[in-house]
PDB file of all heavy atoms in Angstrom:
ATOM      1  N   ALA A 125     120.364 101.823 117.258  1.00 97.00           N
ATOM      2  CA  ALA A 125     120.912 102.946 118.020  1.00 97.00           C
ATOM      3  C   ALA A 125     121.707 103.882 117.109  1.00 97.00           C
ATOM      4  O   ALA A 125     121.616 105.112 117.238  1.00 97.00           O
ATOM      5  CB  ALA A 125     121.803 102.436 119.154  1.00 97.00           C
ATOM      6  N   ILE A 126     122.450 103.328 116.178  1.00 97.00           N
ATOM      7  CA  ILE A 126     123.212 104.148 115.224  1.00 97.00           C
ATOM      8  C   ILE A 126     122.256 104.963 114.360  1.00 97.00           C
ATOM      9  O   ILE A 126     122.446 106.167 114.165  1.00 97.00           O
ATOM     10  CB  ILE A 126     124.131 103.263 114.360  1.00 97.00           C
ATOM     11  CG1 ILE A 126     125.274 102.701 115.215  1.00 97.00           C
ATOM     12  CG2 ILE A 126     124.676 104.045 113.165  1.00 97.00           C
ATOM     13  CD1 ILE A 126     126.075 101.602 114.535  1.00 97.00           C
ATOM     14  N   ARG A 127     121.220 104.305 113.852  1.00 96.00           N
ATOM     15  CA  ARG A 127     120.244 105.034 113.011  1.00 96.00           C
ATOM     16  C   ARG A 127     119.522 106.108 113.814  1.00 96.00           C
ATOM     17  O   ARG A 127     119.303 107.220 113.325  1.00 96.00           O
ATOM     18  CB  ARG A 127     119.268 104.055 112.376  1.00 96.00           C
ATOM     19  CG  ARG A 127     119.841 103.324 111.171  1.00 96.00           C
ATOM     20  CD  ARG A 127     118.772 102.549 110.427  1.00 96.00           C
ATOM     21  NE  ARG A 127     118.291 101.419 111.200  1.00 96.00           N
ATOM     22  CZ  ARG A 127     118.888 100.236 111.226  1.00 96.00           C
ATOM     23  NH1 ARG A 127     119.988 100.025 110.544  1.00 96.00           N
ATOM     24  NH2 ARG A 127     118.381  99.253 111.940  1.00 96.00           N
ATOM     25  N   ASP A 128     119.144 105.787 115.054  1.00 96.00           N
ATOM     26  CA  ASP A 128     118.469 106.774 115.909  1.00 96.00           C
ATOM     27  C   ASP A 128     119.364 107.989 116.139  1.00 96.00           C
ATOM     28  O   ASP A 128     118.902 109.136 116.080  1.00 96.00           O
ATOM     29  CB  ASP A 128     118.075 106.159 117.254  1.00 96.00           C
ATOM     30  CG  ASP A 128     116.910 105.191 117.147  1.00 96.00           C
ATOM     31  OD1 ASP A 128     116.234 105.174 116.092  1.00 96.00           O
ATOM     32  OD2 ASP A 128     116.697 104.438 118.121  1.00 96.00           O
ATOM     33  N   LYS A 129     120.633 107.733 116.411  1.00 94.00           N
ATOM     34  CA  LYS A 129     121.575 108.835 116.643  1.00 94.00           C
ATOM     35  C   LYS A 129     121.700 109.703 115.389  1.00 94.00           C
ATOM     36  O   LYS A 129     121.680 110.930 115.475  1.00 94.00           O
ATOM     37  CB  LYS A 129     122.942 108.291 117.049  1.00 94.00           C
ATOM     38  CG  LYS A 129     123.944 109.378 117.346  1.00 94.00           C
ATOM     39  CD  LYS A 129     125.275 108.821 117.768  1.00 94.00           C
ATOM     40  CE  LYS A 129     126.224 109.976 118.027  1.00 94.00           C
ATOM     41  NZ  LYS A 129     127.593 109.587 118.098  1.00 94.00           N
ATOM     42  N   ARG A 130     121.807 109.075 114.250  1.00 92.00           N
ATOM     43  CA  ARG A 130     121.906 109.843 112.996  1.00 92.00           C
ATOM     44  C   ARG A 130     120.629 110.639 112.739  1.00 92.00           C
ATOM     45  O   ARG A 130     120.686 111.771 112.264  1.00 92.00           O
ATOM     46  CB  ARG A 130     122.208 108.916 111.823  1.00 92.00           C
ATOM     47  CG  ARG A 130     123.628 108.435 111.858  1.00 92.00           C
ATOM     48  CD  ARG A 130     124.147 108.121 110.494  1.00 92.00           C
ATOM     49  NE  ARG A 130     125.549 107.760 110.581  1.00 92.00           N
ATOM     50  CZ  ARG A 130     126.077 106.722 109.996  1.00 92.00           C
ATOM     51  NH1 ARG A 130     125.326 105.938 109.263  1.00 92.00           N
ATOM     52  NH2 ARG A 130     127.360 106.468 110.117  1.00 92.00           N
ATOM     53  N   TRP A 131     119.500 110.039 113.039  1.00 94.00           N
ATOM     54  CA  TRP A 131     118.229 110.736 112.855  1.00 94.00           C
ATOM     55  C   TRP A 131     118.167 111.965 113.749  1.00 94.00           C
ATOM     56  O   TRP A 131     117.770 113.044 113.321  1.00 94.00           O
ATOM     57  CB  TRP A 131     117.073 109.793 113.136  1.00 94.00           C
ATOM     58  CG  TRP A 131     115.731 110.414 112.959  1.00 94.00           C
ATOM     59  CD1 TRP A 131     114.815 110.663 113.925  1.00 94.00           C
ATOM     60  CD2 TRP A 131     115.163 110.892 111.739  1.00 94.00           C
ATOM     61  NE1 TRP A 131     113.707 111.248 113.394  1.00 94.00           N
ATOM     62  CE2 TRP A 131     113.891 111.414 112.045  1.00 94.00           C
ATOM     63  CE3 TRP A 131     115.593 110.931 110.421  1.00 94.00           C
ATOM     64  CZ2 TRP A 131     113.056 111.967 111.079  1.00 94.00           C
ATOM     65  CZ3 TRP A 131     114.754 111.480 109.463  1.00 94.00           C
ATOM     66  CH2 TRP A 131     113.511 111.987 109.793  1.00 94.00           C
ATOM     67  N   ASP A 132     118.577 111.805 115.002  1.00 89.00           N
ATOM     68  CA  ASP A 132     118.600 112.929 115.936  1.00 89.00           C
ATOM     69  C   ASP A 132     119.551 114.017 115.451  1.00 89.00           C
ATOM     70  O   ASP A 132     119.243 115.211 115.541  1.00 89.00           O
ATOM     71  CB  ASP A 132     119.000 112.471 117.340  1.00 89.00           C
ATOM     72  CG  ASP A 132     117.925 111.628 118.008  1.00 89.00           C
ATOM     73  OD1 ASP A 132     116.757 111.667 117.565  1.00 89.00           O
ATOM     74  OD2 ASP A 132     118.269 110.913 118.981  1.00 89.00           O
ATOM     75  N   GLU A 133     120.698 113.628 114.931  1.00 89.00           N
ATOM     76  CA  GLU A 133     121.654 114.604 114.405  1.00 89.00           C
ATOM     77  C   GLU A 133     121.062 115.366 113.217  1.00 89.00           C
ATOM     78  O   GLU A 133     121.244 116.581 113.096  1.00 89.00           O
ATOM     79  CB  GLU A 133     122.954 113.912 113.985  1.00 89.00           C
ATOM     80  CG  GLU A 133     123.772 113.417 115.160  1.00 89.00           C
ATOM     81  CD  GLU A 133     124.916 112.499 114.754  1.00 89.00           C
ATOM     82  OE1 GLU A 133     125.032 112.137 113.554  1.00 89.00           O
ATOM     83  OE2 GLU A 133     125.712 112.131 115.643  1.00 89.00           O
ATOM     84  N   LEU A 134     120.337 114.662 112.365  1.00 91.00           N
ATOM     85  CA  LEU A 134     119.696 115.328 111.228  1.00 91.00           C
ATOM     86  C   LEU A 134     118.610 116.296 111.680  1.00 91.00           C
ATOM     87  O   LEU A 134     118.477 117.400 111.135  1.00 91.00           O
ATOM     88  CB  LEU A 134     119.106 114.291 110.270  1.00 91.00           C
ATOM     89  CG  LEU A 134     120.095 113.537 109.411  1.00 91.00           C
ATOM     90  CD1 LEU A 134     119.395 112.409 108.659  1.00 91.00           C
ATOM     91  CD2 LEU A 134     120.800 114.470 108.445  1.00 91.00           C
ATOM     92  N   LYS A 135     117.840 115.896 112.678  1.00 88.00           N
ATOM     93  CA  LYS A 135     116.803 116.794 113.202  1.00 88.00           C
ATOM     94  C   LYS A 135     117.434 118.036 113.803  1.00 88.00           C
ATOM     95  O   LYS A 135     116.945 119.155 113.591  1.00 88.00           O
ATOM     96  CB  LYS A 135     115.928 116.071 114.239  1.00 88.00           C
ATOM     97  CG  LYS A 135     115.004 115.044 113.621  1.00 88.00           C
ATOM     98  CD  LYS A 135     113.951 114.529 114.582  1.00 88.00           C
ATOM     99  CE  LYS A 135     114.536 113.814 115.751  1.00 88.00           C
ATOM    100  NZ  LYS A 135     113.549 113.167 116.622  1.00 88.00           N
ATOM    101  N   ASP A 136     118.524 117.872 114.550  1.00 89.00           N
ATOM    102  CA  ASP A 136     119.221 119.023 115.132  1.00 89.00           C
ATOM    103  C   ASP A 136     119.771 119.935 114.044  1.00 89.00           C
ATOM    104  O   ASP A 136     119.669 121.164 114.148  1.00 89.00           O
ATOM    105  CB  ASP A 136     120.364 118.565 116.044  1.00 89.00           C
ATOM    106  CG  ASP A 136     119.875 117.935 117.332  1.00 89.00           C
ATOM    107  OD1 ASP A 136     118.680 118.102 117.665  1.00 89.00           O
ATOM    108  OD2 ASP A 136     120.693 117.265 117.999  1.00 89.00           O
ATOM    109  N   LEU A 137     120.323 119.360 113.029  1.00 89.00           N
ATOM    110  CA  LEU A 137     120.866 120.138 111.922  1.00 89.00           C
ATOM    111  C   LEU A 137     119.758 120.929 111.228  1.00 89.00           C
ATOM    112  O   LEU A 137     119.924 122.112 110.904  1.00 89.00           O
ATOM    113  CB  LEU A 137     121.561 119.216 110.917  1.00 89.00           C
ATOM    114  CG  LEU A 137     122.224 119.871 109.721  1.00 89.00           C
ATOM    115  CD1 LEU A 137     123.355 120.790 110.179  1.00 89.00           C
ATOM    116  CD2 LEU A 137     122.759 118.810 108.777  1.00 89.00           C
ATOM    117  N   ARG A 138     118.619 120.285 111.046  1.00 88.00           N
ATOM    118  CA  ARG A 138     117.480 120.967 110.415  1.00 88.00           C
ATOM    119  C   ARG A 138     117.007 122.138 111.273  1.00 88.00           C
ATOM    120  O   ARG A 138     116.713 123.217 110.761  1.00 88.00           O
ATOM    121  CB  ARG A 138     116.346 119.977 110.196  1.00 88.00           C
ATOM    122  CG  ARG A 138     115.182 120.563 109.464  1.00 88.00           C
ATOM    123  CD  ARG A 138     114.147 119.531 109.173  1.00 88.00           C
ATOM    124  NE  ARG A 138     113.052 120.131 108.453  1.00 88.00           N
ATOM    125  CZ  ARG A 138     111.922 119.534 108.214  1.00 88.00           C
ATOM    126  NH1 ARG A 138     111.732 118.299 108.613  1.00 88.00           N
ATOM    127  NH2 ARG A 138     110.965 120.148 107.562  1.00 88.00           N
TER     128      ARG A 138
END
Side-chain angles (χ1 to χ4, degrees):
I126 290 168
R127 281 190 291 276
D128 287 347
K129 182 179 179 195
R130 287 208 176 133
W131 181 247
D132 290 342
E133 289 169 354
L134 286 172
K135 288 192 297 187
D136 289 345
L137 182 63
R138 184 175 181 190

